[in-house]
Amino acid sequence: MNPTLAYLLIAVQTLAWLLWLWHRRPQQDTDDHHPLLLLYASQGGQAETLAQTLAPQLGVSAHNLDAWHARHPLKALNHKTLILIASTTGEGAPPDNAVRFTRTLCKQTAPFTGTRYHLLALGDKRYPHYCAYGHTLDRELKRLGAEAASPIATVDNLDPQTIAYWQKQLGEHLQTTLDVPAQPPSVAATLASRSRLNPDSEQALYHLRLACPELAADTALIEITIPHGKDELRRQYSVASIAPDGSRGLDLIIRLQTHPDGTPGTGSHYLTQTLQPGEALKIRALTHHPAELPDAPRPLILIASGSGLAGILGILTRMEARYPAREHNLQHWLIYGERDPEHDRIYASCLEKQREDGVLTWLDRTYSRGKSREYAQQRLIDHAYRLHAQLEAGAVIYICGSADKIGAGAQDTLRQILGEKTCDRLSKAGRIRLDTY
């Protein structure tokens, strides 16, 4: 080869390599030099929605904690005023998009310099770990010398008055006016029908169908306003999108909750006992990231217990509408756990029909009582080969139900089979999705 040509080729290759490195260099956020930093920790999407609607008013972008931390060390919080909106998941744990940030924060020893913060914590007073993650952030920031520019504000069930008051106080601190709608407006719905799914069971489960033409057919989560004396309560429910007879609509599965003292839960009692067919109620659709579908055809591993079946059915129904299983050669696996095989075989014919039609390839039902006591997560161990094969094929895992039962149990089992690092990698990629309560 001509020496001149050889040197020219080397120069071109070197230039191409330098250009490649330049494009892959860490990009500086436009907010890096702004004194405000808007961050959120969101599991279901409500904290993110609040942050994203607040961002234009403040002239900044909203980032989830882990996404921000992937590009910045904690010392980048120095000399910043932080606006934090944080929800809590499970037994006081951080949402999935705040796990890595929180690990680093809790290990941090170097104090912050000139860091101030405003913190809005979202929670639900029905659960013992009310706003626990918000309090964790508050405690750790104070430990490292950050100054609370305003007291932590805790919000029960997205109470609009509390959120509006916090926004007003925040605007006064920042010397600006914030006029951000906390939630989309409620719409009118009607209870079309209600039936008990397990008549002889100790713990009653009900199917409800609501009529509401204004809500989209692919709604994953709704908030229902519950009358409570002179006040109103708000409760969130996953939408199953299918009834036991296989018909499609705005379908819910609700367990009648009972407190330790024997009194019924306010929301579940109203919806399963007090409200009558034909009567009206107020509902609103909510953003719900744990129930988001994959952006391409992928097999699903669906794990649920109790009324968590509603969320799983909603995911499966919407998945079939977008990516029909037979058309895309998808093999979906449903593992569903309940209490008693004699009385809790809910949605039996519907699920069998899904299998017959090829929507489901595998259907495993387990029962924690009866002759062979077994929890849903045991099937992951029994069929570990299938789990690995499905994940190799790109499967996404969805877990729906009680945080301290199926949520903790399924996650522990996945870590046992796959290892901690693999589970972390899958969660980060959005391939383990947790929808627990």
Side-chain angles (χ1 to χ4, degrees), residues 13 68 122 153 304 334 427:
Q13 290 174 340
W68 179 86
L122 309 184
L334 171 59
S427 295

Side-chain angles (χ1 to χ4, degrees), residues 102-341:
T102 307
R103 285 176 184 166
T104 306
L105 183 69
C106 292
K107 293 177 182 177
Q108 176 89 348
T109 56
F112 292 125
T113 303
T115 304
R116 306 172 79 241
Y117 65 93
H118 303 269
L119 174 56
L120 181 70
L122 309 184
D124 187 333
K125 285 184 177 178
R126 291 178 297 167
Y127 301 106
H129 304 282
Y130 175 60
C131 292
Y133 179 60
H135 287 293
T136 296
L137 281 178
D138 187 44
R139 182 183 66 250
E140 291 300 313
L141 289 169
K142 285 178 177 173
R143 177 181 67 83
L144 294 169
E147 176 191 352
S150 61
I152 181 175
T154 57
V155 184
D156 180 30
N157 270 298
L158 296 174
D159 176 60
Q161 291 182 333
T162 306
I163 294 173
Y165 179 75
W166 179 79
Q167 289 176 173
K168 180 176 179 294
Q169 293 292 99
L170 178 63
E172 291 175 358
H173 278 278
L174 301 178
Q175 298 182 334
T176 187
T177 301
L178 299 176
D179 183 20
V180 184
Q183 302 174 57
S186 296
V187 296
T190 302
L191 177 61
S193 64
R194 180 178 61 220
S195 61
R196 182 163 174 176
L197 295 169
N198 54 354
D200 299 316
S201 179
E202 294 178 7
Q203 295 190 349
L205 278 168
Y206 289 84
H207 166 259
L208 282 71
R209 170 159 288 179
L210 306 182
C212 183
E214 296 186 55
L215 248 60
D218 61 352
T219 298
L221 184 74
I222 62 171
E223 178 189 86
I224 301 179
T225 300
I226 308 293
H228 185 58
K230 295 181 180 180
D231 300 321
E232 291 181 337
L233 304 176
R234 291 167 182 82
R235 297 290 182 261
Q236 297 174 11
Y237 297 95
S238 294
V239 178
S241 301
I242 189 169
D245 63 5
S247 61
R248 308 298 168 86
L250 191 59
D251 299 286
L252 310 178
I253 300 173
I254 299 177
R255 189 182 296 281
L256 177 57
Q257 299 290 345
T258 304
H259 298 304
D261 64 1
T263 59
T266 303
S268 63
H269 185 268
Y270 174 78
L271 293 171
T272 64
Q273 308 296 313
T274 306
L275 185 70
Q276 296 302 310
E279 293 183 346
L281 65 165
K282 293 189 296 182
I283 67 175
R284 78 173 88 242
L286 298 176
T287 303
H288 196 46
H289 293 313
E292 287 181 349
L293 299 182
D295 56 8
R298 288 176 177 268
L300 305 182
I301 300 172
L302 307 165
I303 307 167
S305 66
S307 58
L309 182 63
I312 288 297
L313 288 175
I315 291 165
L316 186 62
T317 301
R318 288 181 287 111
M319 187 72 176
E320 183 64 13
R322 184 179 299 182
Y323 306 118
R326 283 186 169 171
E327 181 180 327
H328 293 278
N329 297 315
L330 298 175
Q331 294 183 305
H332 301 319
W333 179 16
L334 171 59
I335 307 172
Y336 177 55
E338 248 300 338
R339 293 165 61 86
D340 193 315

Side-chain angles (χ1 to χ4, degrees), residues 58 96 169:
L58 298 172
D96 291 342
Q169 293 292 99

Side-chain angles (χ1 to χ4, degrees), residues 25-67:
R25 75 195 189 284
Q27 299 294 309
Q28 189 175 56
D29 287 345
T30 56
D31 292 336
D32 282 353
H33 300 295
H34 200 289
L36 295 180
L37 183 58
L38 177 56
L39 300 170
Y40 64 85
S42 184
Q43 187 70 27
Q46 283 67 59
E48 179 181 358
T49 299
L50 287 173
Q52 295 291 1
T53 52
L54 190 62
Q57 299 281 327
L58 298 172
V60 297
S61 301
H63 310 273
N64 75 59
L65 286 166
D66 278 355

